[in-house]
Amino acid sequence: MNWRFDHLAFNTDGGSTLPEAFAELLGLHAGRRPPFPFPGRWLYQDDQALVHVIEQDACPTPQLSHIAFSTQEAAAAVLLRVQASGLEHQVAQVPEDGLWQIFVRLPGGLVLELDAPASGALASSHDYALHPGAPD
C-alpha cells in the first residue's frame, strides 16, 4: 500500500490558542471542515488540511489525538490489513465527504487514522450521527 501523511489532530478546549499558534508559526489558514457533530477547526496549507483541532471542554491542555495517513487503496483492503493485525480499531465515515476512516490503536496507545476513498461499503463501528464525539 502507498501511504502519505495527511494530518495531525489535537484535542483541546474551545478557548485554546493552539490553532493561532499553528497559523502564525507555519503560515496555515482556517478552512473547510466537514459537518462533524462536535466542534473543531481545520488548518490548511494551500488545499491540504494539515492540523485538525477537536474542541472538548474537558481537555484544558492540548493533547495529540491521532496521526493520519491516507491512501488511494480500497478501504476494504485497508480494513483487512488492520483486522489481520489484531489491533483494536474503529471504522467511521466522514459526513458528506464519505471518506472512510479506520482508527487503529497502536501498542502504547498512539492512534493512527487511516483514510481511504469512499468506494464500496464497510461496516461502520462509529456513527457520527449517533455518537457526536470523535472516535476513541
Side-chain angles (χ1 to χ4, degrees), residues 74-80 91-93 100-102 116-117 119-125:
V78 175
L79 182 58
L80 282 175
V91 178
Q93 198 166 30
W100 285 107
Q101 301 170 302
I102 303 169
S119 59
L122 298 180
S124 180
S125 59

Side-chain angles (χ1 to χ4, degrees), residues 2 15 40 51-52 60 68 70-71 73 78 80 90 97 124 128 131 135:
N2 186 18
V51 176
H52 296 181
S70 63
T71 184
E73 301 289 332
V78 175
L80 282 175
Q90 290 186 326
D97 293 357
S124 180
Y128 288 112
H131 305 284

Side-chain angles (χ1 to χ4, degrees), residues 32-35 42 93-100 118:
R32 180 192 173 276
R33 181 176 174 266
W42 284 11
Q93 198 166 30
V94 176
E96 290 183 1
D97 293 357
L99 180 77
W100 285 107

Side-chain angles (χ1 to χ4, degrees), residues 41-133:
R41 294 182 267 176
W42 284 11
L43 301 171
Y44 284 73
Q45 177 177 296
D46 301 321
D47 63 350
Q48 175 67 40
L50 293 179
V51 176
H52 296 181
V53 177
I54 302 165
E55 296 174 0
Q56 300 177 337
D57 290 335
C59 192
T61 303
Q63 299 172 349
L64 178 66
S65 170
H66 59 268
I67 301 170
F69 293 89
S70 63
T71 184
Q72 291 303 308
E73 301 289 332
V78 175
L79 182 58
L80 282 175
R81 179 176 278 200
V82 169
Q83 289 170 331
S85 76
L87 294 170
E88 178 185 340
H89 63 279
Q90 290 186 326
V91 178
Q93 198 166 30
V94 176
E96 290 183 1
D97 293 357
L99 180 77
W100 285 107
Q101 301 170 302
I102 303 169
F103 293 89
V104 183
R105 186 168 303 281
L106 298 176
L110 180 65
V111 175
L112 290 183
E113 175 186 326
L114 305 177
D115 296 338
S119 59
L122 298 180
S124 180
S125 59
H126 183 85
D127 186 337
Y128 288 112
L130 299 175
H131 305 284

